[in-house]
Amino acid sequence: MSELKVLSALDAAKIQWYHFKAIIVAGMGLFTDAYDLFCIAPIMKMISQIYYHKDSIGTALLSTSYAIALLGTALGQIIFGYLGDRVGRRKVYGLCLLIMVFSSFGCGFSVCTTRRSCVMVSLGFFRFVLGLGIGGDYPLSATIMSEFANKKTRGAFIAAVFSMQGLGILMSSAVTMVVCVVFKNAGGGSLENTNAAGAETVAPPESDIAWRLILMIGAIPAALTFYWRMLMPETARYTALVENNVVQAAKDMQQVMSVSMTTDQIDEVEDTSSELPQSPRSSYKLFSRRFFSLHGRDLFAASANWFLVDVVFYTSNLLLSQIFNFSDKSLSSTSVYDSAFEVAKVAAVVAACSTIPGYWFTVYFIDRIGRVKIQMMGFFLMAVVYLVAGIPYSWYWSKHEKTNKGFMVLYGLIFFFSNFGPNTTTFIIPAELFPARFRSTCHGISGAAGKFGAIVGTVGFLWATKHPENDFFPDVKRVRIAFLILGGVCIAGMVVTYFFTRETMGRSLEENEDEIGTSSANVLFPRQY
């Protein structure tokens, strides 16, 4: 066929260096996202001993500290997802990164250090702004990678971008442990009475710097990728299908992909582009009746599944410090560094042994097995593990062991099947189902639903399992009930996936849109049977 199909060339393109470069550049955003979102658990351990030595930190403050960044993330996904479709992926992409960098530093420089209430308000503000940047990074990274990838390995590429979250979690734990060891050795970690933010504390004075340093280090990976993000061209699909500039799309693709195009071929593309409708936006609008008739089911499935999996994933991940009683000593007699170190150590073990392998199993199998099968399998096996861990939960801790190894293995399996399952596939599927002019917006809506699920799970778990006499360690009987509920949530996810989620493996993005006869995909992407 003599006519060059600009975007179908992307679907047929061989794997090349630019694909891996895009994975690294987009993935470092997810790396930073995970670092910033998941470092808060050991940080709160430190803050509780620095500022709340004599007074309990309280479930309300603890749950707020977890939820504030998630709320910002949800709003950021909606706002920047929409802007990504309106003004372009590339323009908004750099803005999100700058927000993450400056707000990470802001967290470390939380003002009003003379009063602990002012410290927490300042930290909460910067964590919320940080969440806005993190939220924008989700839909833009997924959309950009999906629009650059070929259809055979598109799932693996998007999964590879998302897998950087595992490395971010591991790095946040490693940095926390290193900082704690360095500060403890430098200052001795003595338990002498001092004063921090107007409250008496046994934490050494330099510990007030340690937790701030951990937060600020999260800005470094994002800052390192800003230059490379600014060099990325707009995606060819956005330029061709949303801006109606097929010639520019062809030129942009030539700059970054090994696709040779002669002058005659570019002229042919220009002639073809003149036959396309000038405004694909005018066919129907977002949230119109036609939109819901074509994509309402997909949007419901993507949002519901992401909500359900994040109830489970964030509850389990952020509350490692709540489930495991790491020390037989009371907080008042434990070094501020030791408590944070133990939380970070267990998180690192889980990330290295369960979370990261789960991500890479998905990278390998996603384009062989398919999204729907992996998602259903993950939900089902997570439900099984929750029931196995939840029914005899009281027995696991009946001897008040410091760490129950059998339970640790089960707990690790939850993270493995979450990431070799719905936690990864819910990130991939929304980037493949929707038209180019709505893709980033719909991914953002789906992701925001997930973050609201994370808030419901995290805050709900903290309050529902609250021990009547200890805010930091949950009631064993209530945790058992919570695990059974989480198992039910996984079963619900399996049902939603089976009845509502469409498979996208091996199909071009334009075929997945299911808009034959309604868009410019008619000319550029004739359906093949």
Side-chain angles (χ1 to χ4, degrees):
M1 184 176 182
S2 61
E3 182 182 5
L4 180 65
K5 308 301 184 187
V6 175
L7 303 186
S8 59
L10 283 173
D11 283 328
K14 295 181 179 179
I15 298 175
Q16 46 197 278
W17 165 243
Y18 188 77
H19 287 129
F20 295 103
K21 181 179 176 181
I23 289 172
I24 294 171
V25 173
M28 287 307 292
L30 273 297
F31 177 98
T32 304
D33 299 346
Y35 181 101
D36 290 324
L37 286 178
F38 293 105
C39 70
I40 194 64
I43 292 295
M44 290 308 297
K45 279 286 190 180
M46 298 180 73
I47 288 176
S48 68
Q49 289 185 261
I50 296 171
Y51 302 131
Y52 296 87
H53 168 59
K54 286 193 171 182
D55 304 315
S56 172
I57 193 171
T59 303
L61 182 57
L62 194 61
S63 58
T64 301
S65 67
Y66 287 144
I68 192 69
L70 295 172
L71 178 61
T73 302
L75 294 179
Q77 286 173 314
I78 295 173
I79 294 170
F80 290 109
Y82 176 76
L83 290 176
D85 286 332
R86 296 294 297 178
V87 303
R89 286 74 157 114
R90 178 180 176 274
K91 293 178 182 178
V92 185
Y93 210 26
L95 176 60
C96 293
L97 202 65
L98 289 177
I99 292 174
M100 284 192 286
V101 171
F102 288 112
S103 56
S104 292
F105 280 114
C107 289
F109 288 107
S110 294
V111 295
C112 304
T113 56
T114 57
R115 296 182 59 186
R116 67 186 185 187
S117 59
C118 202
V119 172
M120 298 308 296
V121 170
S122 177
L123 178 61
F125 170 77
F126 285 113
R127 292 279 298 171
F128 176 80
V129 177
L130 174 65
L132 292 175
I134 289 174
D137 204 68
Y138 271 76
L140 294 171
S141 292
T143 300
I144 288 172
M145 194 67 247
S146 71
E147 292 181 346
F148 274 125
N150 63 60
K151 66 181 181 181
K152 281 189 175 181
T153 57
R154 184 179 61 239
F157 286 162
I158 304 174
V161 170
F162 195 62
S163 72
M164 296 296 285
Q165 271 204 336
L167 298 178
I169 296 171
L170 183 62
M171 182 58 68
S172 71
S173 300
V175 168
T176 300
M177 289 189 289
V178 170
V179 169
C180 286
V181 170
V182 170
F183 273 74
K184 181 179 180 180
N185 292 338
S190 59
L191 300 173
E192 299 176 357
N193 288 324
T194 57
N195 190 281
E200 183 181 338
T201 177
V202 295
E206 63 272 12
S207 63
D208 193 42
I209 300 174
W211 69 266
R212 298 170 185 271
L213 181 62
I214 294 169
L215 289 171
M216 287 191 289
I217 289 175
I220 296 176
L224 292 175
T225 61
F226 180 77
Y227 173 75
W228 299 106
R229 282 196 180 188
M230 292 299 94
L231 292 180
M232 294 178 71
E234 184 57 81
T235 68
R237 283 187 163 90
Y238 183 86
T239 304
L241 299 177
V242 181
E243 295 182 338
N244 285 322
N245 192 341
V246 181
V247 176
Q248 185 61 47
K251 292 178 180 178
D252 288 343
M253 192 175 68
Q254 273 190 296
Q255 291 180 1
V256 298
M257 307 285 284
S258 298
V259 179
S260 60
M261 296 178 66
T262 66
T263 303
D264 291 339
Q265 287 174 324
I266 293 178
D267 290 339
E268 288 184 59
V269 171
E270 189 169 9
D271 292 340
T272 301
S273 67
S274 65
E275 301 172 7
L276 298 177
Q278 291 301 305
S279 180
R281 290 179 184 272
S282 63
S283 59
Y284 61 90
K285 296 182 179 180
L286 182 68
F287 300 143
S288 64
R289 182 175 298 179
R290 181 159 178 77
F291 171 86
F292 281 113
S293 68
L294 289 172
H295 308 293
R297 169 179 168 175
D298 293 332
L299 186 59
F300 165 77
S303 301
N305 283 321
W306 209 330
F307 176 91
L308 294 170
V309 72
D310 272 9
V311 168
V312 174
F313 182 75
Y314 278 83
T315 299
S316 300
N317 218 324
L318 288 178
L319 300 178
L320 272 173
S321 60
Q322 304 299 308
I323 294 175
F324 295 98
N325 188 347
F326 300 106
S327 177
D328 297 325
K329 301 177 183 179
S330 64
L331 287 176
S332 61
S333 62
T334 303
S335 166
V336 61
Y337 304 120
D338 289 340
S339 58
F341 183 92
E342 291 298 327
V343 173
K345 183 176 72 173
V346 172
V349 171
V350 171
C353 298
S354 300
T355 303
I356 295 174
Y359 282 123
W360 285 98
F361 265 68
T362 302
V363 171
Y364 183 80
F365 286 107
I366 189 72
D367 290 312
R368 292 172 169 83
I369 299 176
R371 287 73 161 146
V372 172
K373 290 180 180 179
I374 289 178
Q375 187 161 298
M376 287 190 62
M377 176 204 68
F379 269 130
F380 173 74
L381 293 176
M382 286 169 65
V384 171
V385 174
Y386 271 118
L387 294 177
V388 171
I391 293 174
Y393 183 84
S394 300
W395 176 81
Y396 285 120
W397 303 99
S398 59
K399 297 181 181 180
H400 304 286
E401 299 179 34
K402 185 175 179 180
T403 300
N404 187 298
K405 295 181 180 179
F407 185 81
M408 279 289 294
V409 172
L410 288 175
Y411 202 75
L413 288 175
I414 292 172
F415 291 104
F416 178 81
F417 289 117
S418 174
N419 294 303
F420 182 34
N423 188 48
T424 305
T425 54
T426 51
F427 180 79
I428 296 171
I429 292 174
E432 300 179 312
L433 281 175
F434 303 101
R437 63 187 184 277
F438 303 138
R439 186 169 293 133
S440 180
T441 302
C442 292
H443 194 286
I445 293 171
S446 303
K451 291 303 168 282
F452 283 120
I455 294 171
V456 169
T458 303
V459 176
F461 185 96
L462 273 172
W463 284 98
T465 62
K466 180 182 177 181
H467 196 285
E469 299 177 358
N470 191 326
D471 285 325
F472 252 98
F473 299 112
D475 182 88
V476 172
K477 293 181 180 179
R478 294 181 179 183
V479 172
R480 176 178 178 272
I481 296 173
F483 267 55
L484 298 180
I485 293 174
L486 291 175
V489 171
C490 293
I491 293 174
M494 186 174 61
V495 172
V496 173
T497 301
Y498 180 79
F499 285 105
F500 296 101
T501 303
R502 289 196 296 135
E503 182 57 71
T504 57
M505 180 178 65
R507 294 162 58 89
S508 73
L509 295 179
E510 287 63 41
E511 289 174 326
N512 287 331
E513 289 181 15
D514 194 25
E515 290 188 334
I516 301 304
T518 66
S519 76
S520 58
N522 283 344
V523 180
L524 292 176
F525 299 94
R527 186 184 291 273
Q528 303 195 2
Y529 296 93

